[in-house]
Amino acid sequence: MKFTLGSNGYGKAECRLVRVERDSARHVLTDLNVSTRLSGDLAATHLTGDNSGVLPTDSQKNTVYAFAREFGIGAIETFGIALASHFVGENEQIHRARVTIDAYSWDRVGDHSFAKTSGEVRTAVATVTEDGAWITGGLRGLTLMNTTDSEFHGFPRDRFTTLRETSERILATDVAARWRFGTLDVDWGPAYAAIRESLISAFVETYSLSLQQTLYAMGARVLEKVPEVAEVRLALPNKHHFLVDLTPFGMDNPDEVYFAADRPYGLIEGTVLRDDAPAEGWAWSS
């Protein structure tokens, strides 16, 4: 019986990195979670235990911290590309490096004081190979709600259907979005701000007959406003709010009192992409 080693890789997961810029009395705080993954000519370590081509994961962790000190961080997309390019460029046995970064937000409450009040996370994945590089950005934990202008009706019914049709409901979701850029020539900070604003404004302005309709409107708005983006992928859990029956207490409930259910929930997923998006789905450097 014969066996073959399939695709493989290794890296250092979840390197917690906090950097404080102290160039002035008004400090700048960056809070990241960085993971690395390397792949390439690594068969020997799997088949014979020969580690001569294995850059230790501890070295990868140290590189993350050293780069943060020597070069700073700046945009997380730029930081990810720099790290991934280093791993491929300095290790001939490594043909592909992927750096995944989560950036946590802190609200400034003073020149050197911060409060963590939001669960929203900005993300970036930088991938570098011997032939090129690409970036996917994203966010998660963006919670949105419309208290009206949402309906859901006209769906098929079978013998297990109990859901009532409605022309008035709360629509709420926790946005998890990923997008891929068609170029590396991007002003990352303003692009992220424009993408986030596009997601929010489309959610707010869409009179929704289904969460699917809202999803498409959100993705299309990003592509309309940010031409560097080639594709948007969205996962929108439907955070159900059910009207409470108060008739046992002799009370009416004119769409005012709801029960917020955390599970189970509908999960709506979809991709919106440009007609001329590259077939490979990645943005390659020249």
Side-chain angles (χ1 to χ4, degrees):
M1 184 177 295
K2 294 184 177 180
F3 305 97
T4 301
L5 177 67
S7 62
N8 60 87
Y10 76 108
K12 201 68 164 181
E14 300 195 33
C15 302
R16 292 290 286 112
L17 166 62
V18 175
R19 188 176 193 273
V20 180
E21 298 178 32
R22 304 177 183 272
D23 297 337
S24 69
R26 189 173 176 84
H27 295 171
V28 176
L29 176 67
T30 304
D31 185 359
L32 306 181
N33 198 22
V34 183
S35 297
T36 62
R37 185 184 188 278
L38 310 182
S39 57
D41 186 10
L42 300 170
T45 188
H46 290 275
L47 301 179
T48 68
D50 177 3
N51 295 322
S52 59
V54 179
L55 180 69
T57 64
D58 189 66
S59 300
Q60 297 175 45
K61 174 203 69 178
N62 292 340
T63 303
V64 171
Y65 296 128
F67 268 50
R69 174 64 185 95
E70 185 172 7
F71 306 112
I73 295 174
I76 60 174
E77 295 85 354
T78 303
F79 188 58
I81 285 288
L83 285 167
S85 298
H86 167 82
F87 291 128
V88 172
E90 297 295 322
N91 301 275
E92 63 180 12
Q93 78 282 10
I94 300 302
H95 305 155
R96 179 187 179 105
R98 184 182 70 205
V99 177
T100 301
I101 301 176
D102 290 345
Y104 305 110
S105 59
W106 289 79
D107 294 333
R108 180 182 293 280
V109 294
D111 283 345
H112 53 264
S113 303
F114 303 85
K116 195 169 187 178
T117 58
S118 172
E120 187 176 334
V121 179
R122 175 180 174 180
T123 67
V125 180
T127 304
V128 172
T129 72
E130 296 168 306
D131 300 317
W134 60 90
I135 287 284
T136 59
L139 63 79
R140 66 177 186 271
L142 171 62
T143 302
L144 301 174
M145 176 187 287
N146 283 334
T147 55
T148 190
D149 290 350
S150 176
E151 306 180 14
F152 189 60
H153 48 75
F155 49 84
R157 308 189 72 89
D158 63 17
R159 62 194 181 100
F160 299 117
T161 301
T162 59
L163 184 68
R164 294 180 179 179
E165 297 190 351
T166 181
S167 58
E168 179 65 59
R169 67 171 182 172
I170 287 177
L171 185 66
T173 189
D174 284 327
V175 179
R178 291 183 297 157
W179 50 84
R180 59 180 176 87
F181 291 93
T183 177
L184 294 182
D185 185 17
V186 179
D187 194 350
W188 302 111
Y192 178 81
I195 292 167
R196 183 180 183 276
E197 172 56 28
S198 295
L199 294 170
I200 294 173
S201 63
F203 181 88
V204 170
E205 296 167 12
T206 300
Y207 191 106
S208 180
L209 298 178
S210 67
L211 188 49
Q212 289 88 337
Q213 177 195 13
T214 300
L215 180 150
Y216 183 81
M218 293 168 72
R221 181 73 61 87
V222 170
L223 297 181
E224 175 189 352
K225 296 296 185 180
V226 188
E228 297 91 345
V229 174
E231 176 181 327
V232 183
R233 297 183 179 184
L234 289 161
L236 303 181
N238 194 342
K239 298 176 69 67
H240 300 299
H241 289 70
F242 298 110
L243 202 63
V244 177
D245 181 9
L246 298 178
T247 55
F249 318 116
M251 300 179 184
D252 65 356
N253 188 1
D255 296 327
E256 291 183 355
V257 180
Y258 296 84
F259 166 67
D262 64 344
R263 65 196 67 183
Y265 53 85
L267 179 58
I268 312 304
E269 298 175 300
T271 302
V272 186
L273 66 161
R274 297 186 187 279
D275 291 341
D276 58 353
E280 277 293 318
W282 303 114
W284 294 91
S285 62
S286 57

